Amino acid sequence: MESRGISKAVIGRLPRYYRYLGELNEAGVERISSSDLSKKMHVTASQIRQDLNNFGGFGQQGYGYNVKYLRTEIGKILGLDQSHNMVIIGAGNLGQALANYASFARNGFILKGIFDVNPELKGKVIRDIPIRMMDELETVLQEENIDIAALTIPKTKAVEVSDILVRNGIKAIWNFAHTDLNLPKDVIVESVHLSDSLMKLSYNITRYKEEHGED
Amino acid sequence: MESRGISKAVIGRLPRYYRYLGELNEAGVERISSSDLSKKMHVTASQIRQDLNNFGGFGQQGYGYNVKYLRTEIGKILGLDQSHNMVIIGAGNLGQALANYASFARNGFILKGIFDVNPELKGKVIRDIPIRMMDELETVLQEENIDIAALTIPKTKAVEVSDILVRNGIKAIWNFAHTDLNLPKDVIVESVHLSDSLMKLSYNITRYKEEHGED
């Protein structure tokens, strides 16, 4: 598959295409023109064509896109046709929220363990997975072929835990800790900084109020 | 304040500056040169200077940045010196996780209500706020001067609930529902699509395995 040199911006848009095509599919839509898709997604039709041409196209002139086929193909590009074993470290509300997302399993993300330091949580079961204590983490990493660790722990613990993960060959960290992780280049890190997102909202509200003269 | 025409990319980086300056401040660092800050943040020093020059600078030649001052000023740009009343709609794990973030209150985001449709959650108290049923939402929106609503509900309910919010003058929606919201232009929407983020991770793992010949 020709995929090297694809820009981050394009990759960032692929999950959105996948999501919209999923909505169309659920709504029973079988085909869509690039112009209808572009109206729905609020991007230009030429952007969509350019993005998809990075992976060889998928559209036919005058026919548009076959929704189910395009969704499947984008899913393959995103690696969703493969399964990835995952652990969640931090079984607070956020960790439990992630553990409960049924759609993750549908997309090939297989939850193999949930870990916490709080002994009160020990043995509590979420979607058939019992919460374990941190002293069992290394064994699970080694025996269960874990690709992805979701970190939903305080930033003060994030460096120490990510060291354990790296030492045990983790491939990717989905980081919710409120800090950036500086890890070896071959470890993929995707951070979700919820506060950053809320601050952007705050910025936009503040500018809006200034421009509209509200206090 | 000169802030119009600031690019989204710059605005997107401001919370990250704020976060790093907070870490430096906690570590007792009083001054930092743009080159040291750039090494820490993995961006170029010239990028930092350019970004900050959008707001008038803040550095002195040969002195560097005063950490506490710069953090305070960026906080003002982000509107964190003002308070924003907020409600959370959806008191599942994710909604409860958001309600429990102490740092939000420190940054001026004041939680005024948590709402759900599940009667079993009625009256459960999170950080002094009792969970209320949805029939009380409009009253709270009207009486408590709510700026921001965090939506942590299934996508099937997101449109219906955001209609109620818009009708009652909400300024901004922090959207965690797994769908994009098409709202009037004067309503600010910041979406956090957790699945999109996990799919980017999956994409990068898949490419990495291809390039390194792993199955």
Side-chain angles (χ1 to χ4, degrees), chain A residues 3 16 19-20 23 42 77-79 93 100 147 171 174 178-180 182 190 193-194 196-197 201-203 206-207 209 214, chain B residues 3 11 16 19-20 23 42 77-79 93 100 147 171 174 178-180 182 193-194 196-197 201-203 206-207 209 214:
Chain A
S3 65
R16 194 156 171 263
R19 182 152 46 81
Y20 273 81
E23 288 182 9
H42 300 278
I77 295 166
L78 289 168
N93 283 311
N100 274 309
D147 276 350
K171 291 196 174 63
W174 197 21
H178 188 54
T179 189
D180 290 335
N182 292 314
E190 175 75 24
H193 291 308
L194 295 177
D196 288 20
S197 155
L201 206 62
S202 162
Y203 173 91
T206 307
R207 291 300 84 77
K209 285 186 178 177
E214 291 179 53
Chain B
S3 65
I11 297 159
R16 193 157 171 262
R19 183 153 45 82
Y20 272 82
E23 289 182 8
H42 300 277
I77 295 166
L78 289 168
N93 283 310
N100 273 308
D147 276 350
K171 292 198 174 60
W174 196 20
H178 189 54
T179 189
D180 290 335
N182 292 316
H193 291 308
L194 295 177
D196 288 20
S197 156
L201 207 61
S202 162
Y203 174 89
T206 307
R207 292 297 86 77
K209 286 185 176 177
E214 292 179 52

Short mmCIF file of all heavy atoms in Angstrom, two decimals, chain A residues 3 16 19-20 23 42 77-79 93 100 147 171 174 178-180 182 190 193-194 196-197 201-203 206-207 209 214, chain B residues 3 11 16 19-20 23 42 77-79 93 100 147 171 174 178-180 182 193-194 196-197 201-203 206-207 209 214:
data_model
loop_
_atom_site.label_atom_id
_atom_site.label_comp_id
_atom_site.label_asym_id
_atom_site.label_seq_id
_atom_site.Cartn_x
_atom_site.Cartn_y
_atom_site.Cartn_z
N SER A 3 1.61 4.42 1.22
CA SER A 3 1.11 5.24 2.32
C SER A 3 2.20 6.11 2.93
O SER A 3 1.92 6.96 3.74
CB SER A 3 0.52 4.36 3.39
OG SER A 3 1.53 3.56 3.96
N ARG A 16 -12.28 10.94 10.47
CA ARG A 16 -13.52 11.70 10.27
C ARG A 16 -14.27 11.16 9.05
O ARG A 16 -15.49 11.00 9.08
CB ARG A 16 -13.15 13.18 10.11
CG ARG A 16 -14.32 14.10 10.23
CD ARG A 16 -13.94 15.52 10.66
NE ARG A 16 -15.12 16.37 10.51
CZ ARG A 16 -15.36 17.14 9.45
NH1 ARG A 16 -14.50 17.19 8.45
NH2 ARG A 16 -16.47 17.85 9.39
N ARG A 19 -15.87 8.01 10.13
CA ARG A 19 -17.04 8.26 10.97
C ARG A 19 -18.26 8.69 10.14
O ARG A 19 -19.36 8.17 10.31
CB ARG A 19 -16.66 9.34 12.00
CG ARG A 19 -17.70 9.71 12.99
CD ARG A 19 -17.07 10.21 14.30
NE ARG A 19 -16.00 11.17 14.11
CZ ARG A 19 -16.17 12.48 13.87
NH1 ARG A 19 -17.39 12.98 13.78
NH2 ARG A 19 -15.12 13.28 13.75
N TYR A 20 -18.03 9.62 9.20
CA TYR A 20 -19.16 10.07 8.36
C TYR A 20 -19.68 8.94 7.48
O TYR A 20 -20.89 8.79 7.31
CB TYR A 20 -18.74 11.27 7.50
CG TYR A 20 -18.94 12.57 8.23
CD1 TYR A 20 -17.99 13.02 9.14
CD2 TYR A 20 -20.07 13.36 8.03
CE1 TYR A 20 -18.16 14.21 9.83
CE2 TYR A 20 -20.24 14.55 8.71
CZ TYR A 20 -19.30 14.98 9.60
OH TYR A 20 -19.48 16.14 10.29
N GLU A 23 -21.89 6.85 9.46
CA GLU A 23 -23.23 7.43 9.65
C GLU A 23 -24.09 7.25 8.40
O GLU A 23 -25.28 6.93 8.49
CB GLU A 23 -23.11 8.93 10.00
CG GLU A 23 -22.57 9.17 11.41
CD GLU A 23 -22.51 10.66 11.79
OE1 GLU A 23 -23.03 11.51 11.04
OE2 GLU A 23 -21.92 10.96 12.85
N HIS A 42 -18.51 19.56 5.42
CA HIS A 42 -17.98 20.92 5.44
C HIS A 42 -16.49 20.98 5.06
O HIS A 42 -15.71 21.69 5.68
CB HIS A 42 -18.19 21.57 6.83
CG HIS A 42 -19.63 21.66 7.21
ND1 HIS A 42 -20.45 22.67 6.76
CD2 HIS A 42 -20.40 20.86 7.97
CE1 HIS A 42 -21.68 22.47 7.25
NE2 HIS A 42 -21.67 21.39 7.98
N ILE A 77 -6.91 1.16 5.78
CA ILE A 77 -5.80 2.12 5.85
C ILE A 77 -5.53 2.47 7.31
O ILE A 77 -4.37 2.58 7.74
CB ILE A 77 -6.12 3.40 5.04
CG1 ILE A 77 -6.23 3.07 3.56
CG2 ILE A 77 -5.05 4.47 5.27
CD1 ILE A 77 -6.87 4.18 2.73
N LEU A 78 -6.60 2.61 8.09
CA LEU A 78 -6.45 2.95 9.50
C LEU A 78 -6.04 1.74 10.35
O LEU A 78 -5.81 1.89 11.56
CB LEU A 78 -7.77 3.53 10.04
CG LEU A 78 -8.14 4.93 9.54
CD1 LEU A 78 -9.58 5.29 9.89
CD2 LEU A 78 -7.18 5.98 10.15
N GLY A 79 -5.94 0.58 9.74
CA GLY A 79 -5.54 -0.61 10.50
C GLY A 79 -6.66 -1.20 11.33
O GLY A 79 -6.41 -2.01 12.23
N ASN A 93 -12.57 7.31 36.80
CA ASN A 93 -13.73 7.49 35.92
C ASN A 93 -13.35 7.48 34.45
O ASN A 93 -14.03 6.87 33.63
CB ASN A 93 -14.41 8.83 36.22
CG ASN A 93 -15.26 8.76 37.48
OD1 ASN A 93 -16.06 7.85 37.64
ND2 ASN A 93 -15.07 9.71 38.37
N ASN A 100 -15.41 1.06 28.90
CA ASN A 100 -16.80 0.78 28.58
C ASN A 100 -17.21 1.09 27.14
O ASN A 100 -18.33 0.83 26.76
CB ASN A 100 -17.71 1.56 29.54
CG ASN A 100 -17.95 0.78 30.82
OD1 ASN A 100 -18.33 -0.38 30.77
ND2 ASN A 100 -17.69 1.41 31.95
N ASP A 147 -0.15 -4.08 22.40
CA ASP A 147 0.32 -3.03 21.49
C ASP A 147 0.16 -1.63 22.10
O ASP A 147 1.00 -0.77 21.94
CB ASP A 147 -0.52 -3.03 20.20
CG ASP A 147 -0.03 -4.05 19.18
OD1 ASP A 147 1.05 -4.62 19.39
OD2 ASP A 147 -0.75 -4.26 18.18
N LYS A 171 4.10 -0.60 21.95
CA LYS A 171 4.25 0.06 20.64
C LYS A 171 3.65 1.46 20.64
O LYS A 171 4.13 2.34 19.93
CB LYS A 171 3.57 -0.78 19.55
CG LYS A 171 4.31 -2.09 19.31
CD LYS A 171 3.89 -2.72 18.00
CE LYS A 171 4.75 -3.95 17.72
NZ LYS A 171 4.58 -5.02 18.75
N TRP A 174 -1.57 5.81 24.38
CA TRP A 174 -2.68 6.75 24.23
C TRP A 174 -2.73 7.54 25.53
O TRP A 174 -3.22 7.05 26.54
CB TRP A 174 -3.97 5.96 24.00
CG TRP A 174 -5.11 6.75 23.45
CD1 TRP A 174 -5.05 7.92 22.77
CD2 TRP A 174 -6.50 6.37 23.50
NE1 TRP A 174 -6.32 8.32 22.41
CE2 TRP A 174 -7.22 7.39 22.84
CE3 TRP A 174 -7.19 5.29 24.04
CZ2 TRP A 174 -8.60 7.34 22.71
CZ3 TRP A 174 -8.57 5.24 23.90
CH2 TRP A 174 -9.27 6.26 23.24
N HIS A 178 -1.86 14.70 31.98
CA HIS A 178 -1.80 16.13 31.64
C HIS A 178 -0.35 16.58 31.45
O HIS A 178 0.10 17.56 32.04
CB HIS A 178 -2.49 16.91 32.77
CG HIS A 178 -2.68 18.35 32.49
ND1 HIS A 178 -3.31 18.81 31.36
CD2 HIS A 178 -2.34 19.46 33.19
CE1 HIS A 178 -3.34 20.13 31.39
NE2 HIS A 178 -2.75 20.55 32.47
N THR A 179 0.40 15.85 30.65
CA THR A 179 1.79 16.20 30.37
C THR A 179 2.19 15.52 29.07
O THR A 179 1.56 14.54 28.66
CB THR A 179 2.71 15.74 31.53
OG1 THR A 179 4.02 16.28 31.35
CG2 THR A 179 2.79 14.22 31.63
N ASP A 180 3.19 16.06 28.39
CA ASP A 180 3.69 15.40 27.19
C ASP A 180 4.73 14.35 27.61
O ASP A 180 5.45 14.55 28.59
CB ASP A 180 4.31 16.41 26.23
CG ASP A 180 3.24 17.30 25.59
OD1 ASP A 180 2.08 16.85 25.51
OD2 ASP A 180 3.57 18.42 25.19
N ASN A 182 8.12 12.25 26.73
CA ASN A 182 9.28 12.20 25.83
C ASN A 182 9.82 10.78 25.80
O ASN A 182 10.58 10.39 26.67
CB ASN A 182 10.35 13.18 26.29
CG ASN A 182 9.87 14.61 26.12
OD1 ASN A 182 9.32 14.95 25.07
ND2 ASN A 182 10.04 15.42 27.14
N GLU A 190 0.00 9.22 21.20
CA GLU A 190 -1.13 10.07 20.81
C GLU A 190 -1.72 10.65 22.10
O GLU A 190 -2.21 9.90 22.94
CB GLU A 190 -2.16 9.23 20.04
CG GLU A 190 -3.44 9.94 19.67
CD GLU A 190 -3.30 10.91 18.51
OE1 GLU A 190 -2.37 10.74 17.69
OE2 GLU A 190 -4.10 11.86 18.44
N HIS A 193 -5.21 15.91 25.42
CA HIS A 193 -5.11 16.84 26.54
C HIS A 193 -6.44 17.56 26.69
O HIS A 193 -6.72 18.53 25.98
CB HIS A 193 -3.98 17.84 26.31
CG HIS A 193 -2.62 17.22 26.36
ND1 HIS A 193 -2.20 16.44 27.43
CD2 HIS A 193 -1.57 17.25 25.50
CE1 HIS A 193 -0.96 16.04 27.21
NE2 HIS A 193 -0.55 16.50 26.04
N LEU A 194 -7.26 17.05 27.60
CA LEU A 194 -8.61 17.61 27.74
C LEU A 194 -8.58 19.08 28.15
O LEU A 194 -9.38 19.88 27.67
CB LEU A 194 -9.41 16.78 28.75
CG LEU A 194 -9.68 15.34 28.31
CD1 LEU A 194 -10.42 14.57 29.39
CD2 LEU A 194 -10.48 15.31 27.01
N ASP A 196 -6.31 21.30 27.39
CA ASP A 196 -5.96 22.12 26.23
C ASP A 196 -7.20 22.43 25.40
O ASP A 196 -7.40 23.55 24.92
CB ASP A 196 -4.94 21.39 25.33
CG ASP A 196 -3.55 21.33 25.95
OD1 ASP A 196 -3.43 21.48 27.19
OD2 ASP A 196 -2.57 21.10 25.21
N SER A 197 -8.03 21.42 25.25
CA SER A 197 -9.24 21.56 24.46
C SER A 197 -10.22 22.55 25.12
O SER A 197 -10.80 23.42 24.46
CB SER A 197 -9.84 20.16 24.30
OG SER A 197 -11.20 20.19 24.08
N LEU A 201 -11.64 26.45 23.90
CA LEU A 201 -13.02 26.89 24.01
C LEU A 201 -13.09 28.22 24.74
O LEU A 201 -13.79 29.16 24.31
CB LEU A 201 -13.79 25.82 24.80
CG LEU A 201 -15.27 25.68 24.59
CD1 LEU A 201 -15.57 25.30 23.16
CD2 LEU A 201 -15.81 24.58 25.51
N SER A 202 -12.36 28.31 25.84
CA SER A 202 -12.35 29.53 26.64
C SER A 202 -11.81 30.70 25.82
O SER A 202 -12.36 31.81 25.84
CB SER A 202 -11.49 29.28 27.88
OG SER A 202 -11.09 30.48 28.46
N TYR A 203 -10.74 30.46 25.07
CA TYR A 203 -10.18 31.49 24.19
C TYR A 203 -11.26 32.02 23.23
O TYR A 203 -11.46 33.23 23.09
CB TYR A 203 -9.00 30.92 23.38
CG TYR A 203 -8.47 31.88 22.33
CD1 TYR A 203 -7.44 32.76 22.64
CD2 TYR A 203 -8.98 31.90 21.04
CE1 TYR A 203 -6.96 33.66 21.69
CE2 TYR A 203 -8.50 32.79 20.08
CZ TYR A 203 -7.49 33.66 20.42
OH TYR A 203 -7.02 34.55 19.48
N THR A 206 -13.97 34.08 24.93
CA THR A 206 -13.45 35.39 25.34
C THR A 206 -13.39 36.33 24.15
O THR A 206 -13.80 37.49 24.23
CB THR A 206 -12.06 35.21 25.98
OG1 THR A 206 -12.18 34.23 27.02
CG2 THR A 206 -11.56 36.51 26.57
N ARG A 207 -12.87 35.84 23.02
CA ARG A 207 -12.80 36.67 21.82
C ARG A 207 -14.19 37.05 21.35
O ARG A 207 -14.44 38.17 20.94
CB ARG A 207 -12.08 35.91 20.68
CG ARG A 207 -10.60 35.68 20.85
CD ARG A 207 -9.76 36.92 20.98
NE ARG A 207 -9.70 37.46 22.32
CZ ARG A 207 -8.95 36.96 23.31
NH1 ARG A 207 -8.20 35.91 23.13
NH2 ARG A 207 -8.97 37.52 24.50
N LYS A 209 -16.92 37.36 23.11
CA LYS A 209 -17.51 38.37 24.00
C LYS A 209 -16.89 39.75 23.73
O LYS A 209 -17.59 40.76 23.74
CB LYS A 209 -17.30 37.98 25.46
CG LYS A 209 -18.21 36.85 25.91
CD LYS A 209 -18.07 36.59 27.40
CE LYS A 209 -19.03 35.49 27.86
NZ LYS A 209 -18.87 35.18 29.29
N GLU A 214 -19.93 41.93 25.01
CA GLU A 214 -20.50 41.42 26.26
C GLU A 214 -19.43 41.47 27.34
O GLU A 214 -18.25 41.43 27.09
CB GLU A 214 -20.96 39.98 26.08
CG GLU A 214 -22.17 39.88 25.17
CD GLU A 214 -22.60 38.43 25.01
OE1 GLU A 214 -22.80 37.75 26.01
OE2 GLU A 214 -22.70 37.98 23.86
N SER B 3 -6.01 40.60 18.83
CA SER B 3 -6.09 39.15 18.78
C SER B 3 -6.81 38.65 17.54
O SER B 3 -6.81 37.48 17.27
CB SER B 3 -6.82 38.62 20.01
OG SER B 3 -8.14 39.09 19.99
N ILE B 11 -3.43 29.49 18.10
CA ILE B 11 -4.35 29.32 19.23
C ILE B 11 -4.25 27.91 19.80
O ILE B 11 -4.26 27.71 21.01
CB ILE B 11 -5.80 29.62 18.78
CG1 ILE B 11 -5.91 31.08 18.33
CG2 ILE B 11 -6.79 29.33 19.89
CD1 ILE B 11 -7.08 31.36 17.44
N ARG B 16 -0.71 24.66 25.19
CA ARG B 16 0.51 23.88 25.43
C ARG B 16 1.59 24.76 26.08
O ARG B 16 2.27 24.34 27.01
CB ARG B 16 0.99 23.30 24.09
CG ARG B 16 2.03 22.23 24.25
CD ARG B 16 2.09 21.29 23.03
NE ARG B 16 3.26 20.44 23.19
CZ ARG B 16 4.43 20.66 22.60
NH1 ARG B 16 4.59 21.69 21.78
NH2 ARG B 16 5.45 19.86 22.82
N ARG B 19 0.61 25.12 29.63
CA ARG B 19 0.90 23.90 30.39
C ARG B 19 2.39 23.78 30.73
O ARG B 19 2.76 23.49 31.87
CB ARG B 19 0.41 22.71 29.55
CG ARG B 19 0.54 21.37 30.18
CD ARG B 19 -0.52 20.39 29.64
NE ARG B 19 -0.69 20.42 28.20
CZ ARG B 19 0.09 19.77 27.34
NH1 ARG B 19 1.12 19.05 27.77
NH2 ARG B 19 -0.14 19.83 26.04
N TYR B 20 3.24 24.03 29.74
CA TYR B 20 4.68 23.92 30.00
C TYR B 20 5.15 24.99 30.99
O TYR B 20 5.96 24.71 31.86
CB TYR B 20 5.48 24.03 28.69
CG TYR B 20 5.65 22.70 28.02
CD1 TYR B 20 4.63 22.17 27.22
CD2 TYR B 20 6.80 21.94 28.18
CE1 TYR B 20 4.77 20.94 26.61
CE2 TYR B 20 6.94 20.70 27.57
CZ TYR B 20 5.92 20.21 26.78
OH TYR B 20 6.05 18.98 26.18
N GLU B 23 4.36 23.85 34.36
CA GLU B 23 5.31 22.85 34.86
C GLU B 23 6.61 23.51 35.33
O GLU B 23 7.17 23.16 36.36
CB GLU B 23 5.62 21.80 33.78
CG GLU B 23 4.45 20.86 33.51
CD GLU B 23 4.76 19.77 32.47
OE1 GLU B 23 5.93 19.64 32.05
OE2 GLU B 23 3.81 19.06 32.06
N HIS B 42 10.07 20.95 22.16
CA HIS B 42 10.27 20.38 20.83
C HIS B 42 9.62 21.21 19.73
O HIS B 42 9.00 20.68 18.82
CB HIS B 42 9.75 18.93 20.77
CG HIS B 42 10.43 18.03 21.74
ND1 HIS B 42 11.63 17.42 21.49
CD2 HIS B 42 10.09 17.65 22.99
CE1 HIS B 42 12.00 16.70 22.53
NE2 HIS B 42 11.08 16.81 23.46
N ILE B 77 -4.90 35.71 27.75
CA ILE B 77 -5.26 35.57 26.34
C ILE B 77 -6.28 34.43 26.19
O ILE B 77 -7.22 34.51 25.43
CB ILE B 77 -4.01 35.30 25.47
CG1 ILE B 77 -3.08 36.51 25.49
CG2 ILE B 77 -4.42 34.96 24.03
CD1 ILE B 77 -1.69 36.23 24.95
N LEU B 78 -6.06 33.36 26.95
CA LEU B 78 -6.95 32.20 26.88
C LEU B 78 -8.26 32.44 27.64
O LEU B 78 -9.14 31.57 27.63
CB LEU B 78 -6.25 30.96 27.44
CG LEU B 78 -5.12 30.38 26.59
CD1 LEU B 78 -4.32 29.34 27.37
CD2 LEU B 78 -5.69 29.75 25.32
N GLY B 79 -8.36 33.57 28.30
CA GLY B 79 -9.60 33.87 29.04
C GLY B 79 -9.70 33.15 30.37
O GLY B 79 -10.78 33.05 30.95
N ASN B 93 -19.47 7.59 33.11
CA ASN B 93 -18.08 7.66 33.58
C ASN B 93 -17.35 8.88 33.06
O ASN B 93 -16.62 9.54 33.79
CB ASN B 93 -17.31 6.41 33.14
CG ASN B 93 -17.64 5.21 34.00
OD1 ASN B 93 -17.60 5.30 35.22
ND2 ASN B 93 -17.97 4.11 33.37
N ASN B 100 -14.95 15.68 37.96
CA ASN B 100 -13.97 15.51 39.04
C ASN B 100 -12.64 16.21 38.81
O ASN B 100 -11.78 16.18 39.68
CB ASN B 100 -13.71 14.01 39.27
CG ASN B 100 -14.73 13.43 40.25
OD1 ASN B 100 -14.92 13.96 41.33
ND2 ASN B 100 -15.39 12.35 39.84
N ASP B 147 -22.30 29.40 30.27
CA ASP B 147 -21.56 29.64 29.02
C ASP B 147 -21.30 28.35 28.24
O ASP B 147 -21.37 28.32 27.02
CB ASP B 147 -20.18 30.23 29.32
CG ASP B 147 -20.21 31.73 29.53
OD1 ASP B 147 -21.25 32.35 29.26
OD2 ASP B 147 -19.17 32.28 29.96
N LYS B 171 -23.29 29.46 24.83
CA LYS B 171 -22.26 30.10 24.01
C LYS B 171 -21.32 29.07 23.39
O LYS B 171 -20.78 29.28 22.31
CB LYS B 171 -21.45 31.08 24.86
CG LYS B 171 -22.26 32.28 25.29
CD LYS B 171 -21.37 33.42 25.74
CE LYS B 171 -22.21 34.65 26.02
NZ LYS B 171 -23.23 34.45 27.07
N TRP B 174 -18.74 21.79 24.48
CA TRP B 174 -17.56 20.93 24.51
C TRP B 174 -18.09 19.53 24.22
O TRP B 174 -18.65 18.88 25.09
CB TRP B 174 -16.92 21.03 25.89
CG TRP B 174 -15.53 20.52 25.98
CD1 TRP B 174 -14.65 20.35 24.96
CD2 TRP B 174 -14.83 20.15 27.17
NE1 TRP B 174 -13.44 19.89 25.44
CE2 TRP B 174 -13.53 19.76 26.79
CE3 TRP B 174 -15.17 20.11 28.53
CZ2 TRP B 174 -12.58 19.33 27.71
CZ3 TRP B 174 -14.23 19.69 29.44
CH2 TRP B 174 -12.94 19.30 29.04
N HIS B 178 -20.05 11.19 19.72
CA HIS B 178 -19.29 10.66 18.59
C HIS B 178 -19.90 11.12 17.27
O HIS B 178 -20.19 10.33 16.37
CB HIS B 178 -19.30 9.14 18.72
CG HIS B 178 -18.40 8.44 17.75
ND1 HIS B 178 -17.07 8.75 17.62
CD2 HIS B 178 -18.64 7.44 16.86
CE1 HIS B 178 -16.54 7.97 16.69
NE2 HIS B 178 -17.46 7.18 16.21
N THR B 179 -20.12 12.42 17.15
CA THR B 179 -20.67 12.98 15.92
C THR B 179 -20.33 14.46 15.89
O THR B 179 -20.06 15.06 16.93
CB THR B 179 -22.20 12.77 15.85
OG1 THR B 179 -22.68 13.13 14.55
CG2 THR B 179 -22.93 13.59 16.90
N ASP B 180 -20.29 15.05 14.68
CA ASP B 180 -20.08 16.49 14.61
C ASP B 180 -21.43 17.18 14.74
O ASP B 180 -22.45 16.66 14.32
CB ASP B 180 -19.41 16.87 13.29
CG ASP B 180 -17.96 16.39 13.25
OD1 ASP B 180 -17.36 16.22 14.32
OD2 ASP B 180 -17.44 16.17 12.14
N ASN B 182 -23.82 20.39 13.83
CA ASN B 182 -23.96 21.52 12.93
C ASN B 182 -24.86 22.55 13.57
O ASN B 182 -26.07 22.44 13.51
CB ASN B 182 -24.54 21.06 11.59
CG ASN B 182 -23.54 20.19 10.86
OD1 ASN B 182 -22.35 20.51 10.79
ND2 ASN B 182 -23.99 19.06 10.33
N HIS B 193 -13.08 13.90 19.82
CA HIS B 193 -13.52 12.61 19.30
C HIS B 193 -12.49 11.56 19.69
O HIS B 193 -11.46 11.40 19.04
CB HIS B 193 -13.67 12.67 17.78
CG HIS B 193 -14.81 13.53 17.32
ND1 HIS B 193 -16.09 13.37 17.81
CD2 HIS B 193 -14.88 14.55 16.44
CE1 HIS B 193 -16.90 14.25 17.24
NE2 HIS B 193 -16.18 14.99 16.41
N LEU B 194 -12.79 10.85 20.79
CA LEU B 194 -11.81 9.89 21.31
C LEU B 194 -11.51 8.78 20.30
O LEU B 194 -10.36 8.36 20.17
CB LEU B 194 -12.31 9.31 22.63
CG LEU B 194 -12.43 10.35 23.76
CD1 LEU B 194 -13.01 9.72 25.01
CD2 LEU B 194 -11.08 10.97 24.07
N ASP B 196 -11.53 8.99 17.06
CA ASP B 196 -10.66 9.51 16.00
C ASP B 196 -9.21 9.42 16.44
O ASP B 196 -8.31 9.06 15.67
CB ASP B 196 -11.00 10.97 15.67
CG ASP B 196 -12.32 11.12 14.91
OD1 ASP B 196 -13.14 10.19 14.96
OD2 ASP B 196 -12.52 12.17 14.28
N SER B 197 -8.99 9.78 17.69
CA SER B 197 -7.64 9.77 18.23
C SER B 197 -7.07 8.35 18.30
O SER B 197 -5.92 8.09 17.92
CB SER B 197 -7.70 10.45 19.61
OG SER B 197 -6.67 10.05 20.44
N LEU B 201 -3.80 6.45 16.19
CA LEU B 201 -2.83 5.56 16.82
C LEU B 201 -2.74 4.26 16.05
O LEU B 201 -1.65 3.76 15.75
CB LEU B 201 -3.30 5.29 18.25
CG LEU B 201 -2.28 4.95 19.31
CD1 LEU B 201 -1.30 6.08 19.48
CD2 LEU B 201 -2.97 4.68 20.64
N SER B 202 -3.89 3.71 15.72
CA SER B 202 -3.95 2.45 14.99
C SER B 202 -3.27 2.60 13.62
O SER B 202 -2.50 1.73 13.19
CB SER B 202 -5.42 2.05 14.84
OG SER B 202 -5.58 1.11 13.83
N TYR B 203 -3.55 3.72 12.94
CA TYR B 203 -2.89 3.98 11.65
C TYR B 203 -1.37 3.94 11.80
O TYR B 203 -0.68 3.28 11.03
CB TYR B 203 -3.32 5.36 11.12
CG TYR B 203 -2.59 5.79 9.87
CD1 TYR B 203 -3.07 5.46 8.61
CD2 TYR B 203 -1.40 6.51 9.95
CE1 TYR B 203 -2.39 5.83 7.46
CE2 TYR B 203 -0.71 6.89 8.80
CZ TYR B 203 -1.21 6.55 7.56
OH TYR B 203 -0.53 6.90 6.43
N THR B 206 0.01 0.46 12.44
CA THR B 206 -0.06 -0.36 11.24
C THR B 206 1.08 -0.01 10.28
O THR B 206 1.76 -0.89 9.75
CB THR B 206 -1.43 -0.15 10.56
OG1 THR B 206 -2.45 -0.39 11.53
CG2 THR B 206 -1.61 -1.11 9.40
N ARG B 207 1.31 1.30 10.07
CA ARG B 207 2.41 1.72 9.18
C ARG B 207 3.76 1.28 9.75
O ARG B 207 4.63 0.83 9.03
CB ARG B 207 2.43 3.25 9.03
CG ARG B 207 1.26 3.86 8.27
CD ARG B 207 1.17 3.40 6.82
NE ARG B 207 0.44 2.15 6.66
CZ ARG B 207 -0.89 2.02 6.71
NH1 ARG B 207 -1.66 3.04 6.91
NH2 ARG B 207 -1.45 0.83 6.55
N LYS B 209 4.40 -1.26 11.69
CA LYS B 209 4.59 -2.71 11.52
C LYS B 209 4.94 -3.05 10.07
O LYS B 209 5.78 -3.90 9.81
CB LYS B 209 3.33 -3.46 11.95
CG LYS B 209 3.15 -3.51 13.46
CD LYS B 209 1.94 -4.39 13.82
CE LYS B 209 1.83 -4.51 15.34
NZ LYS B 209 0.63 -5.28 15.75
N GLU B 214 6.89 -6.44 10.77
CA GLU B 214 6.22 -7.28 11.76
C GLU B 214 4.84 -7.66 11.23
O GLU B 214 4.26 -6.98 10.42
CB GLU B 214 6.06 -6.53 13.09
CG GLU B 214 7.37 -6.28 13.78
CD GLU B 214 7.16 -5.51 15.08
OE1 GLU B 214 6.33 -5.95 15.89
OE2 GLU B 214 7.81 -4.47 15.25
#
